[in-house]
Amino acid sequence: MAEPKAANASKPAPKLTESAPLKVHAELLILGFIFFFFHILAIYYIVQVLVPRGAVTIAVVNVRDSLLQMGVLVSAVAITLPSVKFRKDEEQIVAYVFTLGAIALTLGTFLSATKSPSAIYVVYNSGAIVMLMLLVILFGFLGFRSKRFSLDEPERAAMAVLALMFVVNIALLVWSYSVTLGGRTVSPDVDILRDHSTRYASWMVLAAFIMRFSKPNERHYRRILGGFIITVIFWTFTFGLYATGVKNPVTSGAVYIAGVMDGVLGALIVASLLGLLGLRGVRGRMTPHFTLGGISLIWLIIAGTIGLYMTIFFSAYQQPVPAAWRIFHLMNANWALLAGFGAVALASVNYSKRIGQLMLIFFVAEMVKHIAIYAINTVNPTFANNSLLPIGDPFYAVAFIIIIYLLTTRPRRTGIITETVTEPKPGSNPATPT
């Protein structure tokens, strides 16, 4: 009897990467990239048409930003909804109703910019629909009509936190709209709270997907996602106290604690990159989506370094941050996030080697363009603003069209499947996706 017991004791524990592959909801991801594409068109319209006329208003800028925010929301739901584990028909109902609500909420933002009397009804009703669907997703992770997440499923735990952050986001959006209708202004810190909490939570889930392009060390993988979960919640709580002006002993140091959390999140992104590159695990095959995932993480690290620079050399000394540096940080962080979604979108479809290489060229060109423009801006702001900014984002516009085409026409993979370099199939090219 002792011999079988010893054999069982020596049996290795199941590997994390042997679990069910992560999946995406293709139709919602298509909608998310449509929002991203229209965001770029809005930028072109503002720069090419409104700026020369001097007709740029805060309402128009809000419409432009709402397209990006809604694109992030829809894309994040696309990579979260399948993991709730609703029944197929229930998942489709949630996706359909959420889609209608997201489109209507964006339309409400546009109507508000045009000062239409119907804007208030569209915004409140569509906001309620989106909020309800996000709550359904959150309750699904908590066990409503589905399996409750557990700590043994770090990806689902991270997605539950992401759903919570989006519930907070939409609640703040509707609240801010009602405050503005009352003739009052909303603190810019509330917008920072909305923007950063959802971006951080989105990166938490994207890191889970991107790291699975390789075969990460199980303990390393779990620690990274656990660190993300704790840090995102703690950052939202502490900065939320600061942004809403709650008066208590914690508030005075909340913004500094949130700054420390920024640094912790940056360290977790670096750790995610190390896991992807195989320094803590087995490196995946050098497919285009693998490379694009690495680029998105590196791009975010660059944007985060700029944010750390602004915090240390400006905010810490109570000095205003130069607008050029703030724009540099925000735009690079946003485009890095979109590159991460692009990597997941590519990984979810079958594409040819030529298309994959073409996508890499477009994303890399966009990254180089952004960094070059803002590097020039620090030396010659007039030239950068008048001659370079009107160029817009042509590489991303084409890349998004290609992604929408691939998601619409190409066969989908069953999930984000780990493809390591240890056992290439006979006669296959390990650098070429199927």
Side-chain angles (χ1 to χ4, degrees):
M1 296 298 291
E3 193 170 334
K5 184 176 180 180
N8 291 336
S10 62
K11 185 178 180 180
K15 298 297 183 183
L16 185 66
T17 47
E18 292 175 358
S19 60
L22 298 171
K23 300 178 182 180
V24 300
H25 194 286
E27 289 76 14
L28 281 176
L29 199 56
I30 291 170
L31 179 62
F33 277 94
I34 290 175
F35 275 116
F36 294 149
F37 179 73
F38 277 101
H39 170 71
I40 291 177
L41 293 185
I43 293 175
Y44 274 114
Y45 178 73
I46 291 174
V47 173
Q48 300 288 352
V49 178
L50 297 184
V51 170
R53 298 178 182 175
V56 180
T57 62
I58 295 178
V60 172
V61 173
N62 288 339
V63 172
R64 178 202 65 187
D65 293 342
S66 69
L67 289 169
L68 178 61
Q69 290 274 20
M70 195 56 64
V72 172
L73 172 62
V74 173
S75 299
V77 171
I79 64 177
T80 301
L81 182 57
S83 295
V84 182
K85 302 186 185 302
F86 287 135
R87 291 193 313 179
K88 192 62 180 178
D89 56 342
E90 294 174 338
E91 179 180 310
Q92 289 300 104
I93 291 173
V94 171
Y96 178 73
V97 176
F98 174 80
T99 297
L100 293 178
I103 294 174
L105 185 56
T106 307
L107 175 62
T109 306
F110 173 77
L111 293 174
S112 179
T114 60
K115 301 187 183 304
S116 171
S118 61
I120 183 172
Y121 303 103
V122 177
V123 170
Y124 280 131
N125 286 285
S126 59
I129 292 173
V130 171
M131 173 74 77
L132 177 61
M133 292 301 100
L134 291 173
L135 285 172
V136 168
I137 294 173
L138 176 60
F139 289 151
F141 283 116
L142 297 177
F144 172 74
R145 304 290 297 176
S146 180
K147 175 187 174 184
R148 187 176 65 85
F149 79 90
S150 68
L151 296 180
D152 292 332
E153 300 173 304
E155 300 102 340
R156 295 190 75 229
M159 292 176 186
V161 174
L162 175 61
L164 174 62
M165 291 300 106
F166 276 125
V167 169
V168 173
N169 181 289
I170 298 300
L172 288 174
L173 172 65
V174 175
W175 175 79
S176 300
Y177 180 75
S178 65
V179 170
T180 304
L181 282 180
R184 295 174 292 166
T185 58
V186 178
S187 169
D189 292 327
V190 174
D191 292 331
I192 294 175
L193 174 64
R194 283 185 55 221
D195 181 83
H196 283 62
S197 62
T198 52
R199 298 297 195 274
Y200 289 161
S202 297
W203 268 115
M204 171 176 59
V205 176
L206 278 176
F209 273 75
I210 292 173
M211 287 179 66
R212 289 283 290 272
F213 296 165
S214 292
K215 191 174 182 180
N217 175 274
E218 179 179 359
R219 182 175 297 178
H220 181 70
Y221 184 79
R222 291 181 182 277
R223 284 178 175 175
I224 289 176
L225 291 186
F228 268 120
I229 291 170
I230 295 172
T231 307
V232 168
I233 293 175
F234 202 66
W235 186 95
T236 304
F237 173 74
T238 53
F239 195 85
L241 290 176
Y242 174 79
T244 54
V246 176
K247 303 299 182 182
N248 58 46
V250 179
T251 306
S252 58
V255 66
Y256 300 104
I257 297 173
V260 173
M261 294 298 101
D262 286 332
V264 174
L265 286 164
L268 291 170
I269 290 294
V270 173
S272 301
L273 179 61
L274 296 179
L276 175 68
L277 297 178
L279 298 179
R280 296 298 302 272
V282 181
R283 181 177 62 80
R285 295 176 181 171
M286 294 294 289
T287 55
H289 59 265
F290 174 95
T291 307
L292 182 55
I295 288 173
S296 68
L297 292 174
I298 293 172
W299 200 347
L300 180 64
I301 292 170
I302 293 172
T305 302
I306 296 167
L308 184 63
Y309 172 83
M310 293 188 300
T311 301
I312 294 175
F313 293 99
F314 292 96
S315 300
Y317 293 99
Q318 304 296 321
Q319 295 181 3
V321 178
W325 281 108
R326 185 182 293 108
I327 295 174
F328 189 17
H329 165 68
L330 291 176
M331 293 193 70
N332 279 279
N334 285 334
W335 293 138
L337 179 65
L338 270 56
F341 282 123
V344 172
L346 276 181
S348 66
V349 297
N350 291 315
Y351 59 91
S352 67
K353 181 178 180 180
R354 180 173 297 179
I355 290 180
Q357 292 173 340
L358 188 64
M359 292 295 296
L360 276 180
I361 291 173
F362 285 132
F363 276 96
V364 171
E366 195 65 58
M367 180 178 73
V368 172
K369 180 188 74 71
H370 272 274
I371 294 175
I373 285 179
Y374 287 100
I376 295 172
N377 188 74
T378 60
V379 179
N380 190 341
T382 303
F383 176 76
N385 292 330
N386 296 334
S387 302
L388 297 180
L389 282 183
I391 295 175
D393 304 295
F395 304 114
Y396 253 175
V398 177
F400 293 159
I401 291 175
I402 294 175
I403 288 176
I404 293 170
Y405 169 77
L406 292 175
L407 290 170
T408 305
T409 62
R410 293 301 175 95
R412 280 106 187 226
R413 300 190 183 191
T414 56
I416 307 301
I417 302 173
T418 300
E419 299 175 291
T420 61
V421 296
T422 52
E423 298 177 358
K425 295 180 181 179
S428 65
N429 183 356
T432 306
T434 57

